[in-house]
């Protein structure tokens, strides 16, 4: 028994050493600062393994915890996952309850993880749609980790991007209305522009892009460099539509519970291959080889 325990310890030590070596090699190139994931294929995984549907989500949650560790070790700064969309409320009640149970259980687990890894946990979405038994501990965890900046783990729950945009536009209007009413001497009201007929031509221009972005649920994170979707799906399913205009989309046929370190390595290598950093170096090397590198100096403005 003891021998088996020692053997297992040695093996896990080797695996962790090997992983660190692989990550060190990957870090020679640019590392994505933000990875977002649509974790599809949990029920299909359960079906292929002849398990009940709930077990698919359990294995999916385990895969997510591994991914959290890998991203942290690799030097990624933000990991965002689509855990529950607003549309998911329409699923069978037992399925909704299963995911809610996992979220409920994840809060004490993350609280323990935060004690040894200084990560920030952020729940993005319309949290008012959640039960108070999840919302209140989630808000407390967000508050208590808000100052951790080394790594941000965002769980999108009761989320979809059109709702996020609507929320951000409404909040921006409310903020500007209060501001306008204050400066025009009406006094901060309940935020209704137009009260006392006080709309001026051009007031709409006071709302800037930064105002909207500030009020997005994802406002704390830069736009993702990579958006991964598993289980062979190519749709965005209303996830981070605003934030992914320049992201690399990686659709993998693997079901989410089977997603592991090699899938992550493949996605990061693909990102590095397409990264402008390498493009520029490659072009410079070709130009150097054929002697045209210095012929374009001083560089033209075009
Ligand atoms: C702690 C924490 C954040 C837990 C998250 C748990 C987890 C893995 C949630 C996945 C949610 C979800 C609706 C995935 C889609 O797979 P699907 O159910 O649509 O499966 P299918 O594509 O095979 O139908």
């Amino acid at each position: 028994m003891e021998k088996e325990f020692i053997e297992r310890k040695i093996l896990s030590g080797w695996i962790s050493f090997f992983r660190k070596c692989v990550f060190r090699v990957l870090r020679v190139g640019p590392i994505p600062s933000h990875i977002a994931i649509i974790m599809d294929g949990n029920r299909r995984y359960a079906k292929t393994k002849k398990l009940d549907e709930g077990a698919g989500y359990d294995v999916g949650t385990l895969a997510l915890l591994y991914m959290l560790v890998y991203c942290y070790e690799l030097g990624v700064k933000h990991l965002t996952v689509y855990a529950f969309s607003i549309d998911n409320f329409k699923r069978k009640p037992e399925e909704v309850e299963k995911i809610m149970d996992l979220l409920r259980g994840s809060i004490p687990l993350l609280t323990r993880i935060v004690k040894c890894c200084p990560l920030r946990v952020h729940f993005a979405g319309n949290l008012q749609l959640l039960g108070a038994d999840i919302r209140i501990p989630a808000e407390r965890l967000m508050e208590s980790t808000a100052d951790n900046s080394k790594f941000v783990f965002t769980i999108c729950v009761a989320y979809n991007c059109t709702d996020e945009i609507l929320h951000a536009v409404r909040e921006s209007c409310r903020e500007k209305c209060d501001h306008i009413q204050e400066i025009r001497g009406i006094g901060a009201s309940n935020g209704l522009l137009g009260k006392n007929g006080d709309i001026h031509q051009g007031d709409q221009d006071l709302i800037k892009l930064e105002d909207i972005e500030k009020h997005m649920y994802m406002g704390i994170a830069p736009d993702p460099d990579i958006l991964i979707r598993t289980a062979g799906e190519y749709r965005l399913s209303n996830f981070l539509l605003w934030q992914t205009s320049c992201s690399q989309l990686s659709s993998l046929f693997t079901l989410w519970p089977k997603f592991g370190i090699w899938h992550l390595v493949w996605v990061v290598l693909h990102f590095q291959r397409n990264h402008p950093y390498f493009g520029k170096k490659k072009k410079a090397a070709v130009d150097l080889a054929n002697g045209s590198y210095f012929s374009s100096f001083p560089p033209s403005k075009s």
Side-chain angles (χ1 to χ4, degrees):
M1 186 71 185
E2 204 171 289
K3 191 173 163 241
E4 205 176 287
F5 175 75
I6 293 171
E7 276 172 3
R8 219 179 284 166
K9 269 264 175 219
I10 293 174
L11 183 68
S12 77
W14 270 110
I15 292 174
S16 145
F17 173 73
F18 182 61
R19 187 174 70 235
K20 283 185 181 139
C21 291
V22 172
F23 285 173
R24 190 166 284 196
V25 173
L26 272 185
R27 274 198 296 269
V28 171
I31 293 297
S33 135
H34 185 177
I35 297 182
I37 310 179
I38 304 177
M39 307 176 287
D40 231 341
N42 299 282
R43 289 181 296 187
R44 275 170 273 177
Y45 173 83
K47 221 177 256 174
T48 55
K49 295 279 172 190
K50 298 196 170 54
L51 300 168
D52 68 291
E53 276 180 6
Y57 293 116
D58 290 332
V59 188
T61 305
L62 197 63
L64 173 58
L65 289 175
Y66 275 114
M67 203 44 55
L68 190 62
V69 174
Y70 298 155
C71 287
Y72 184 81
E73 281 186 3
L74 182 59
V76 172
K77 297 272 179 274
H78 292 262
L79 174 68
T80 299
V81 293
Y82 204 7
F84 195 82
S85 74
I86 291 180
D87 283 344
N88 287 155
F89 280 112
K90 293 183 200 145
R91 288 189 176 196
K92 286 185 270 174
E94 59 272 23
E95 229 173 89
V96 174
E97 204 35 52
K98 174 70 195 176
I99 300 176
M100 290 300 153
D101 276 348
L102 285 171
L103 283 168
R104 220 174 271 120
S106 73
I107 297 173
L109 179 65
L110 287 167
T111 309
R112 254 179 283 147
I113 293 176
V114 163
K115 284 191 183 133
C116 50
C117 288
L119 54 100
R120 177 174 185 182
V121 182
H122 182 66
F123 289 85
N126 192 342
L127 302 189
Q128 294 305 322
L129 298 177
L130 300 175
D133 58 331
I134 299 180
R135 192 182 65 249
I136 294 170
E139 283 170 349
R140 268 195 215 126
L141 182 58
M142 282 199 279
E143 245 176 68
S144 65
T145 60
D147 292 333
N148 300 342
S149 55
K150 188 164 185 251
F151 184 89
V152 183
F153 178 40
T154 302
I155 302 170
C156 293
V157 55
Y159 174 92
N160 72 35
C161 197
T162 36
D163 177 66
E164 180 183 28
I165 295 169
L166 185 63
H167 164 83
V169 171
R170 279 181 179 156
E171 285 304 307
S172 308
C173 288
R174 195 162 290 143
E175 195 180 67
K176 290 292 168 195
C177 289
D178 282 348
H179 177 67
I180 289 169
Q181 286 175 336
E182 235 169 75
I183 56 173
R184 291 188 187 148
I186 302 164
S189 73
N190 57 1
L192 294 175
L193 187 64
K195 209 175 163 209
N196 308 323
D198 197 42
I199 298 175
H200 291 196
Q201 186 71 30
D203 276 351
Q204 68 277 18
D205 297 338
L206 289 171
I207 297 177
K208 305 276 183 255
L209 183 63
E210 305 84 78
D211 297 313
I212 294 182
E213 290 195 324
K214 186 174 82 185
H215 291 292
M216 300 287 269
Y217 299 136
M218 289 296 296
I220 64 157
D223 290 350
D225 299 296
I226 302 178
L227 172 62
I228 300 173
R229 181 157 196 170
T230 53
E233 305 287 350
Y234 290 93
R235 286 167 290 122
L236 290 182
S237 300
N238 214 339
F239 183 51
L240 307 183
L241 304 181
W242 179 284
Q243 296 87 349
T244 51
S245 55
C246 296
S247 308
Q248 166 189 305
L249 299 180
S250 291
S251 175
L252 281 85
F253 281 96
T254 316
L255 304 175
W256 171 250
K258 285 182 167 175
F259 193 93
I261 186 167
W262 295 115
H263 300 102
L264 178 67
V265 169
W266 186 87
V267 165
V268 172
L269 281 174
H270 186 61
F271 167 80
Q272 295 186 332
R273 209 177 127 242
N274 294 324
H275 197 275
Y277 168 81
F278 280 137
K280 270 183 212 141
K281 281 207 139 186
K282 212 161 109 190
K283 185 172 181 313
V286 172
D287 287 352
L288 264 178
N290 65 23
S292 63
Y293 186 71
F294 295 108
S295 62
S296 60
F297 280 92
S300 64
K301 277 191 179 146
S302 60

